[in-house]
Amino acid sequence: MPALCRDCLHPFETGSRCPACRSPRVLSHPELFSLSIAHMDCDAFYASVEKREDPSLADKPVIIGGRHRGVVSTACYVARIRGVRSAMPMFQALKLCPDAVVLKPRMSLYAEVSKQIRTMMEELTPAVQPLSLDEAFLDLSGTQRLHGAPPAVMLARLVRRMKDELGLTGSIGLSHNKFLAKVASDLDKPRGFRVIGKAETPDFLRDQPVRLIWGIGPASQEALDRAGIRTFADLLRWDRTALHARFGSMGERLWHLARGEDHRRVSAHEPVKSISSETTFDADTADPDILDGHIWRMAEKTADRAKARGLAGRVVTLKVKKADHAIITRRLSLREPAQLADTIYRTARGLYEQVAGEGPFRLLGCGISQLVPETEVSAAGDLLDPGARQRGEAERAADRIRARFGPDAIVKGRALR
Amino acid sequence: MKLSIERGALLKAVAQAQSVVERRNTIPILANVLIEAEGDTVQFRATDLDIEVVDRAPAHVDRAGATTVAATTLHEIVRKLPDGALVTLTADSAAGRLAVDAGRSSFSLATLPKEDFPVMASSEYESNFTAPAPVLRRLFDKSKFAISTEETRYYLNGVYMHVAEGEDGRVLRCVATDGHRLARIDAPLPEGAETMPGVIVPRKTVGELRKLLDDDEAKIAVSVSETKVRFATPAITLTSKVIDGTFPDYTRVIPQGNTRRLEVDASEFAKAVDRVATVSSERSRAVKLQLDEDRLILSVNAPDSGAAEEELAVAYGDDRLEIGFNAKYLLEIASQVDRENAVFMFNSAGDPTLMREGDDQSAVYVVMPMRV
C-alpha cells in the first residue's frame, strides 16, 4: 500500500514507521497517490495566530470572541478540552473555563496571515477556493508532473511549511470530491491528514449521519428527520424522483451525495455576495453616541474588507438586534457604489435614524451588497459635498499609515466612543 | 351623463389625463379618470395625489353629470377607434357602467362613484404670472437632464424654479443638479413673478408640464405658492405639489475663477466624445481631455476592452491641461448647446468645470471631473 512520511515527505511502500526518518507519522492508503481534491482547514486558526503572536499564551486556554455578551468564535485546543466550542455563548464558555484568556478578534491580522497561507496554496495550484480566512478547497488534478510529486506529498509539504514558516497547524482532507474532502479534513483534527478513497466511499458513508453534509442546518435536519432520514443508508433507500419531489433541488443534491458524488468544481472565483461586520454589545444600549461609535467601527471594518478585496457595494445595510432579539434591517441603494468607511458610515447613520426609536439594542452591524469591482466607482466628486473628496483622501492616507505602522496607528475620534 | 365628442379631441384630453395616473395603484380610485360634463364642455380629471391634471374639451352634452372610469382602459379604447369617429359616452349610474359607443363598436366599462374621487384642495397662490410657452420650455428642457434620482437627497429630485439676480437684473431661474453636474438656466422675469417663492418642481411634474409647452404661440398661466405650483392653458390645468425641502445653495458650486478657456464646436465635440467612449463598457466611462495650444485630444482607455483617441481642432491658448469626465455627462451637457460654440472654462483637473453657450450667461452648466 502506498505510504508517505508526513515529517520527511518520504514516499515508501510498507511499514508503520518511515524507513528514512523512523517517524511514526505515516500516512498510508491504497489511493493515496491518485486523489487530488483537498480541503485544508487551519486548526483553531484565530487562537493559534494569537498564541503565535504572544508565546506566553501557548499553554493557556485562549478564546477569541466578544468579551461578555458575544459568542465564541474560536477556542484553542486547551479550551476545547474543557468543553468550550465555537458559537457557544461567551458566559457559558467562561463558566466551563473561567481562567480562559478572552481576546477580541483582530480580523486584519488574521486576514494578513490568511493571505500568506493562500499564497502558499496558490503555489500548488491555481484552483484554490477559499471558504473563509482559515479553510479552502484545492484541486491539484494534473499538477503531478509540474511538481514532480503527487498531490498527497505536496499537501503534506504545505502543512509542514505552514508550521515551519508561519507557526500554524492545519488539517488536510484528501478525496475525490469537495464534499468528502471537507468531511475528511474534520476527521482527525488537529494536525490531521485523512484520506477517503473512491473504493471505501460507500462503506464510509453508510452509517454517517446526514448532518455531515455541509449546509444541512437545524431546519433541513428536521425536515430530513420527519422523512425518517438520519443516516446515509436511509438516504440510499430513497429514489431520485421521490427525493426531488420532497426536497426540491436539495433532494437532487442529496441523491448524489448519498452515493458519494459531488460534481461541484473547485472554483477560485466564487463571487462574494456581500461584506458585513457586526458586534454584540457588552450591555444593551440606546445611547446615540455609543451607537454612533459602533456604526463607525462596523463601517470601517466593512470598508477594510471591501478595500482588501477591491470591491465596492451599491447597497448599504444596517442591522440592529433589539433587546428581545428581534432583528431590524434597513437598506439603501446608492447611486455610486460605496467602498469608503466614510460613505458607508454616513449612509448607515441615515438608516440608523429610521430605527433609533426602536432601541435599546444589543447588536449592530453594517454591510454592503450588490458588489462591483472598485474600478466601477466613479471618481467624479460631489459638487454639493466638496468635503467628500477630502474625507476620501484622508481615509486613504489613514489606510496607508495603518498599513505601515499597524491598525491602531491612527483612529477616528468617534471610534473611541 | 351623456355626451358626444369627436375622437381626436377625446384622445388628446384622455391621453394627458392618463399619463398622470400611476401604473400601479393600491387605491383603486386613483387609476380612474373623473369625467364631468356640463354646458358644452367635458372635463377629464386625473391625479396621483401629488399632481392633478384637468383637461377640457368641447363636447355635445345631452345630459350633464359625472362619473369615473379606468383611465388607461378608456385611453386604449379611444386610441384604437378609427380617426374621425364620433364617440358617445353614456353613464348608467344605477348599473355602475359607462357605455362607450362609436360607430359599430360599443364598450361597457365599470365605474366608481365620483364622490370617491380625490380632488386636490384649492389653495391661495402668492404669485400669478404669464409666460410664453417657449420660455418655459427652454427653462425646463435645458435643466431637467441634471435632476437627481437619488432618494437620500430628495430635494434634488426636481427643478428649483425661483427668482434670482442675473447679470442684468432679476431673472426667472431654473436650477437642477445631481451633485455631479448642474444646470442653471435664466429667462427674463415675467411681470407679476417678482413675489414668487422659490419652489422645487418634481421630476414627474416637469415631464407632464412638457406636454403643455409644445405650442409656440401658447401663453402659460403660472401660479406659485409655498406648497403648490400650477400651470394652465385654456384647455389644460396642471397642479402639482412641490418638493418639501430646501434646495442647496448652488451659487457656491458655480466656479467663478476658472480662467482656462476652451472653445469648441459643440456637435463635433459631442460626436467625438461619443465615438471614443464606445470602447468602454463601464457604467461610468471616463473620457480624458488633453488640452494643448489649439488642440484637444480626447481619449478613453479601458484596460479590459480597448482604447480610443481622437484629435479635435479647438480654440485654446492656456497652459497644458489633462482632465477627465464621465462621458455621459459630457454628452448631455454638450447636447444642450444649439446655437453657438461650446465654451468650457477650466481651473484644474480636480475642480468643477463650467460650460456655456458662447458668452451667453443665461444658460450655465457645471460638471465635476473624474480622476483618470
Side-chain angles (χ1 to χ4, degrees):
Chain A
M1 198 189 307
L4 170 69
C5 171
R6 291 174 59 194
D7 285 327
C8 70
L9 308 178
H10 178 69
F12 55 98
E13 268 305 315
T14 45
S16 59
R17 274 183 183 270
C18 170
C21 71
R22 307 305 298 160
S23 162
R25 297 185 67 228
V26 163
L27 192 59
S28 64
H29 191 278
E31 298 174 41
L32 182 61
F33 294 141
S34 59
L35 297 168
S36 56
I37 309 286
H39 179 253
M40 195 288 296
D41 193 1
C42 294
D43 302 325
F45 181 60
Y46 299 174
S48 307
V49 173
E50 293 294 351
K51 287 191 180 200
R52 184 193 78 172
E53 296 293 299
D54 179 0
S56 74
L57 296 174
D59 50 359
K60 297 202 177 96
V62 170
I63 298 177
I64 311 295
R67 281 242 164 83
H68 301 291
R69 300 261 304 258
V71 294
V72 174
S73 90
T74 309
C76 77
Y77 282 88
V78 183
R80 287 191 201 191
I81 291 167
R82 314 272 282 273
V84 179
R85 295 282 173 268
S86 25
M88 182 182 270
M90 190 57 80
F91 72 89
Q92 200 181 333
L94 289 173
K95 218 177 267 173
L96 291 166
C97 191
D99 55 333
V101 180
V102 179
L103 297 171
K104 272 195 181 174
R106 294 192 282 171
M107 297 311 297
S108 49
L109 170 66
Y110 310 148
E112 196 182 309
V113 180
S114 172
K115 233 179 206 170
Q116 294 172 317
I117 300 175
R118 173 106 75 98
T119 312
M120 291 183 184
M121 293 191 288
E122 279 166 352
E123 285 172 22
L124 303 189
T125 167
V128 176
Q129 179 184 347
L131 292 181
S132 62
L133 288 179
D134 62 344
E135 55 176 321
F137 285 115
L138 298 94
D139 183 351
L140 288 118
S141 310
T143 61
Q144 180 152 2
R145 292 186 62 181
L146 174 71
H147 298 306
V153 175
M154 297 313 293
L155 290 163
R157 182 174 292 167
L158 169 72
V159 279
R160 201 179 67 173
R161 212 179 140 197
M162 280 166 53
K163 177 87 186 115
D164 293 348
E165 293 178 23
L166 303 174
L168 297 169
T169 64
S171 297
I172 299 282
L174 178 62
S175 189
H176 51 98
N177 63 40
K178 284 165 78 170
F179 161 55
L180 290 166
K182 179 149 168 81
V183 168
S185 71
D186 204 35
L187 289 177
D188 44 53
K189 272 183 145 300
R191 296 189 76 193
F193 196 132
R194 185 62 180 266
V195 180
I196 299 177
K198 262 193 181 132
E200 73 195 279
T201 300
D203 289 336
F204 169 80
L205 282 179
R206 192 170 302 123
D207 297 319
Q208 299 284 350
V210 283
R211 63 161 181 277
L212 204 61
I213 299 169
W214 194 76
I216 301 249
S220 320
Q221 175 89 49
E222 202 175 294
L224 288 164
D225 266 352
R226 274 198 302 272
I229 300 172
R230 282 189 184 77
T231 65
F232 279 77
D234 296 332
L235 206 48
L236 279 172
R237 281 192 282 274
W238 285 64
D239 75 17
R240 199 167 175 167
T241 42
L243 274 177
H244 191 90
R246 180 137 187 170
F247 302 106
S249 60
M250 182 176 96
E252 185 71 22
R253 203 165 113 70
L254 288 173
W255 188 87
H256 283 289
L257 291 177
R259 283 150 188 80
E261 296 168 10
D262 177 6
H263 301 294
R264 292 171 304 159
R265 296 179 48 166
V266 176
S267 86
H269 301 287
E270 200 65 11
V272 190
K273 294 215 176 71
S274 67
I275 300 173
S276 61
S277 314
E278 58 181 52
T279 177
T280 302
F281 315 142
D282 290 344
D284 294 353
T285 180
D287 183 329
D289 285 344
I290 293 177
L291 289 166
D292 184 63
H294 285 301
I295 297 172
W296 168 256
R297 281 189 295 274
M298 293 307 108
E300 197 176 32
K301 266 192 189 177
T302 303
D304 281 350
R305 291 178 191 176
K307 288 169 191 163
R309 290 175 171 165
L311 294 170
R314 287 195 190 286
V315 172
V316 172
T317 307
L318 176 83
K319 170 181 167 186
V320 286
K321 201 189 259 183
K322 298 206 283 183
D324 62 1
H325 290 253
I327 291 172
I328 311 175
T329 56
R330 289 286 178 274
R331 43 188 276 140
L332 187 74
S333 298
L334 302 175
R335 204 184 43 173
E336 293 294 339
Q339 185 188 49
L340 290 174
D342 182 65
T343 321
I344 300 171
Y345 164 75
R346 277 163 193 268
T347 313
R349 205 40 247 238
L351 294 170
Y352 165 73
E353 300 300 336
Q354 298 177 15
V355 301
E358 304 273 349
F361 303 111
R362 56 178 286 123
L363 169 149
L364 183 143
C366 285
I368 54 173
S369 52
Q370 286 197 29
L371 303 175
V372 296
E374 61 189 353
T375 48
E376 287 214 11
V377 180
S378 161
D382 190 338
L383 281 165
L384 302 170
D385 187 3
R389 179 175 286 225
Q390 283 163 345
R391 292 196 306 272
E393 278 166 12
E395 186 173 325
R396 304 269 180 210
D399 286 345
R400 286 192 293 274
I401 291 170
R402 292 194 297 164
R404 191 157 160 200
F405 300 107
D408 297 327
I410 183 165
V411 292
K412 280 247 192 202
R414 64 167 85 96
L416 302 172
R417 282 215 276 247
Chain B
M1 181 191 85
K2 184 173 183 187
L3 65 100
S4 307
I5 181 169
E6 196 272 319
R7 181 249 180 199
L10 178 60
L11 180 61
K12 205 172 156 215
V14 174
Q16 176 87 42
Q18 70 92 31
S19 82
V20 171
V21 170
E22 287 288 341
R23 293 289 161 266
R24 284 193 182 83
N25 260 310
T26 46
I27 309 169
I29 192 81
L30 293 182
N32 280 17
V33 55
L34 172 64
I35 309 171
E36 295 166 295
E38 206 182 331
D40 53 2
T41 23
V42 57
Q43 181 163 293
F44 298 87
R45 188 188 295 262
T47 183
D48 66 357
L49 296 179
D50 288 326
I51 305 176
E52 182 190 73
V53 65
V54 181
D55 254 75
R56 283 163 296 271
H60 178 76
V61 179
D62 284 332
R63 202 163 58 240
T67 190
T68 81
V69 286
T72 42
T73 317
L74 180 63
H75 175 246
E76 282 297 288
I77 289 173
V78 178
R79 195 172 61 81
K80 290 169 183 171
L81 288 175
D83 206 10
L86 185 70
V87 188
T88 310
L89 304 179
T90 318
D92 179 348
S93 50
R97 297 283 159 179
L98 176 77
V100 181
D101 296 287
R104 281 189 276 185
S105 314
S106 60
F107 306 84
S108 173
L109 304 178
T111 63
L112 286 171
K114 63 175 193 291
E115 292 77 19
D116 293 355
F117 195 88
V119 174
M120 200 177 263
S122 60
S123 53
E124 290 287 309
Y125 290 100
E126 282 141 47
S127 166
N128 294 286
F129 59 92
T130 308
V135 169
L136 291 178
R137 194 164 71 208
R138 175 174 169 276
L139 282 172
F140 286 99
D141 275 3
K142 285 187 177 294
S143 56
K144 67 183 175 196
F145 75 93
I147 299 175
S148 166
T149 52
E150 210 180 339
E151 310 158 43
T152 36
R153 295 196 280 190
Y154 60 92
Y155 47 82
L156 299 182
N157 298 163
V159 169
Y160 181 45
M161 180 173 78
H162 61 296
V163 179
E165 210 59 52
E167 295 277 298
D168 318 299
R170 309 188 79 192
V171 291
L172 179 62
R173 176 174 282 178
C174 280
V175 177
T177 181
D178 64 358
H180 291 324
R181 54 261 169 82
L182 176 144
R184 188 197 77 187
I185 317 298
D186 292 349
L189 191 66
E191 202 176 317
E194 298 82 1
T195 56
M196 184 188 91
V199 286
I200 307 169
V201 184
R203 164 190 291 276
K204 185 175 173 186
T205 309
V206 172
E208 293 302 321
L209 169 63
R210 187 62 185 77
K211 295 168 190 155
L212 275 63
L213 305 177
D214 276 327
D215 180 1
D216 280 352
E217 304 304 317
K219 293 263 186 280
I220 312 293
V222 186
S223 309
V224 185
S225 77
E226 296 278 356
T227 55
K228 274 186 203 147
V229 61
R230 167 175 287 181
F231 300 92
T233 66
I236 304 173
T237 305
L238 174 70
T239 312
S240 168
K241 291 183 185 166
V242 298
I243 293 175
D244 183 12
T246 309
F247 200 81
D249 176 14
Y250 63 87
T251 50
R252 55 189 180 86
V253 168
I254 297 170
Q256 303 298 332
N258 288 11
T259 51
R260 294 163 159 184
R261 186 177 198 274
L262 161 74
E263 189 166 341
V264 59
D265 181 300
S267 100
E268 289 292 305
F269 176 76
K271 281 181 201 155
V273 169
D274 196 21
R275 272 192 294 267
V276 292
T278 317
V279 295
S280 168
S281 56
E282 278 171 35
R283 266 169 60 110
S284 53
R285 298 189 267 198
V287 174
K288 182 157 84 173
L289 278 61
Q290 285 167 273
L291 282 159
D292 214 335
E293 182 83 42
D294 288 346
R295 197 171 69 143
L296 167 64
I297 298 172
L298 294 164
S299 61
V300 169
N301 191 359
D304 295 335
S305 49
E309 194 178 285
E310 180 157 343
E311 194 177 317
L312 281 176
V314 297
Y316 182 77
D318 294 277
D319 295 345
R320 266 182 65 88
L321 176 69
E322 273 191 23
I323 187 167
F325 294 99
N326 181 318
K328 181 170 158 262
Y329 298 166
L330 273 189
L331 278 175
E332 279 177 342
I333 281 186
S335 65
Q336 302 304 323
V337 175
D338 39 31
R339 296 188 316 271
E340 293 181 60
N341 283 341
V343 172
F344 287 87
M345 301 296 292
F346 302 98
N347 186 26
S348 80
D351 294 314
T353 292
L354 188 137
M355 199 282 290
R356 59 174 192 254
E357 194 165 347
D359 285 315
D360 180 4
Q361 300 286 347
S362 74
V364 167
Y365 307 91
V366 182
V367 60
M368 238 5 223
M370 290 171 78
R371 282 193 301 271
V372 281

